[in-house]
Amino acid sequence: MKGRRITLERHLRDEAGRARSPAAGLPPLMTALAGAAKTLARQVRRAALSGSLGYSGDVNVTGDSQKKLDVTANETVLDAVASTGLVAAVVSEELKGAKALSDREEARYILCTDPLDGSSNTDINGSVGTIFGIYPRAGGGPVDEGHDLLRRGSEQIAAGYVMYGPGTVLVYTAGDGVFGFTLDEDSDEFVLTHDRIRCPSRGHYYSANLGHLKEWHPGIRRCIEHLTERDPATGRPYSLRYVGSLVADLHRSLIEGGFYFYPADGGHTNGKLRLLYECAPLALVVEKAGGRASTGTQRILEVRAESIHQRVPLVIGSALEVELYETFMRREP
Ligand code: AFP
């Protein structure tokens, strides 16, 4: 990148220096997450060489068969944030209950994470990601599930994701702007490559597992019919792009426009994706970039979690496409 080279560390220092920045207490935590991401990028890249592909033999709490990399990713993220002393508890896709890390006063944050999302892609050298959402503690004393963990996404003070693709990209927001950093493997630094990302208000891609089409809400099926009709004036038909790795599909929508959805179907009556560590963090990122995220009927950031592994339907991406989808869902059959 031409011009001034801004590393993540430098960027975090600058942001923390702004008097009213909500990121003021976050730099060490973000630095720890970035450190975990560097380790994970290497683990994912070398998995076939180190014998780390394939299943661990266990099933996680939400019923997914765990990959070996799911297990190591979880340990890597937990070790990294535990070392900061800033996190009171972690909610992770790979842990049945929340894991308490510290009861000290400086442990001001709750971390919700999917350490390795899209792990079914690991064995085919496909893109995967890490998702994280950070909440301030609701009060002092021991972590209380109701107050500290079962939150609305709008209460997050920072959120983001790391995408392990051809390059490793870390995208985050602490409320004021969305920033993307690419890992420079020569210097082992994340460098700012996507400054103040804006999600295009519309795009020409849709991302979804159409294998479940027949079981979707009729409004969603009509939305697909609409998107796939030919009307060059409105950019239709839309093109289908589906990696099957939420972070990768979302990253495309964020940068190029378009949208991703995973609605309820016969096998996933509340959708497949988890509210606290998949939907809410990505919703904060996308909204701060000017996009939208909803269940189809309610803004994701307003949904209060009822359990830590709760699932919700998700539609996320360019504002106009998400609105269109919501409109089709509201229409009478
Ligand atoms: P895995 O982590 O089990 O691969 O699940 C990935 C995921 O949660 C999300 O990243 C994908 O968008 C979605 O599930 C894919 O689900 P389908 O395989 O049902 O399309």
Side-chain angles (χ1 to χ4, degrees), residues 60 64-65 67 70 93-94 114 116-122 128 131 208-210 212 242-249 260-262 265 268 272-274 278 311:
N60 71 17
D64 300 330
S65 296
K67 291 280 175 83
D70 281 320
E93 184 185 11
E94 306 307 330
D114 184 348
L116 199 68
D117 187 61
S119 55
S120 58
N121 276 341
T122 52
V128 289
I131 305 174
N209 181 344
L210 294 186
H212 301 296
Y242 191 63
V243 177
S245 176
L246 175 59
V247 165
D249 284 311
Y260 168 102
F261 52 94
Y262 207 115
D265 60 44
H268 310 99
K272 179 184 179 190
L273 303 173
R274 279 51 63 114
E278 292 182 309
R311 298 173 193 264

Side-chain angles (χ1 to χ4, degrees), residues 236-307:
R236 292 178 287 150
Y238 278 43
S239 291
L240 172 67
R241 295 280 187 279
Y242 191 63
V243 177
S245 176
L246 175 59
V247 165
D249 284 311
L250 187 275
H251 188 66
R252 181 193 322 101
S253 304
L254 182 68
I255 302 295
E256 298 202 322
F259 70 128
Y260 168 102
F261 52 94
Y262 207 115
D265 60 44
H268 310 99
T269 48
N270 294 314
K272 179 184 179 190
L273 303 173
R274 279 51 63 114
L275 174 62
L276 281 178
Y277 43 81
E278 292 182 309
C279 303
L282 299 181
L284 189 72
V285 170
V286 165
E287 283 204 6
K288 292 297 175 187
R292 280 172 75 108
S294 92
T295 62
T297 55
Q298 185 184 8
R299 186 177 165 234
I300 287 286
L301 293 179
E302 282 167 7
V303 182
R304 178 179 290 284
E306 290 171 1
S307 62

Side-chain angles (χ1 to χ4, degrees), residues 103-251:
D103 55 7
R104 296 172 68 108
E105 202 183 326
E106 61 269 28
R108 296 186 293 272
Y109 301 113
I110 302 291
L111 176 77
C112 296
T113 183
D114 184 348
L116 199 68
D117 187 61
S119 55
S120 58
N121 276 341
T122 52
D123 292 2
I124 51 104
N125 196 27
S127 294
V128 289
T130 298
I131 305 174
F132 58 90
I134 300 169
Y135 293 82
R137 287 229 33 211
V143 170
D144 174 81
E145 176 163 320
H147 287 106
D148 283 306
L149 309 181
L150 302 182
R151 311 285 286 268
R152 285 197 175 89
S154 55
E155 297 173 71
Q156 293 170 107
I157 54 165
Y161 61 85
V162 185
M163 177 178 162
Y164 311 101
T168 300
V169 179
L170 185 156
V171 174
Y172 96 104
T173 182
D176 177 18
V178 177
F179 302 92
F181 300 81
T182 301
L183 182 60
D184 178 344
E185 292 179 357
D186 292 339
S187 63
D188 201 35
E189 291 172 316
F190 277 104
V191 179
L192 183 65
T193 46
H194 300 69
D195 196 9
R196 295 200 173 269
I197 297 171
R198 298 303 295 166
C199 179
S201 59
R202 60 172 302 189
H204 298 290
Y205 296 123
Y206 68 108
S207 301
N209 181 344
L210 294 186
H212 301 296
L213 179 93
K214 288 190 175 167
E215 298 175 345
W216 288 343
H217 184 285
I220 303 171
R221 297 206 305 267
R222 281 197 302 275
C223 182
I224 301 293
E225 273 168 35
H226 172 80
L227 294 176
T228 52
E229 275 161 10
R230 180 158 295 280
D231 180 25
T234 56
R236 292 178 287 150
Y238 278 43
S239 291
L240 172 67
R241 295 280 187 279
Y242 191 63
V243 177
S245 176
L246 175 59
V247 165
D249 284 311
L250 187 275
H251 188 66

Side-chain angles (χ1 to χ4, degrees), residues 86-99:
L86 293 169
V87 175
V90 177
V91 172
S92 164
E93 184 185 11
E94 306 307 330
L95 298 172
K96 186 163 182 227
K99 185 172 175 67

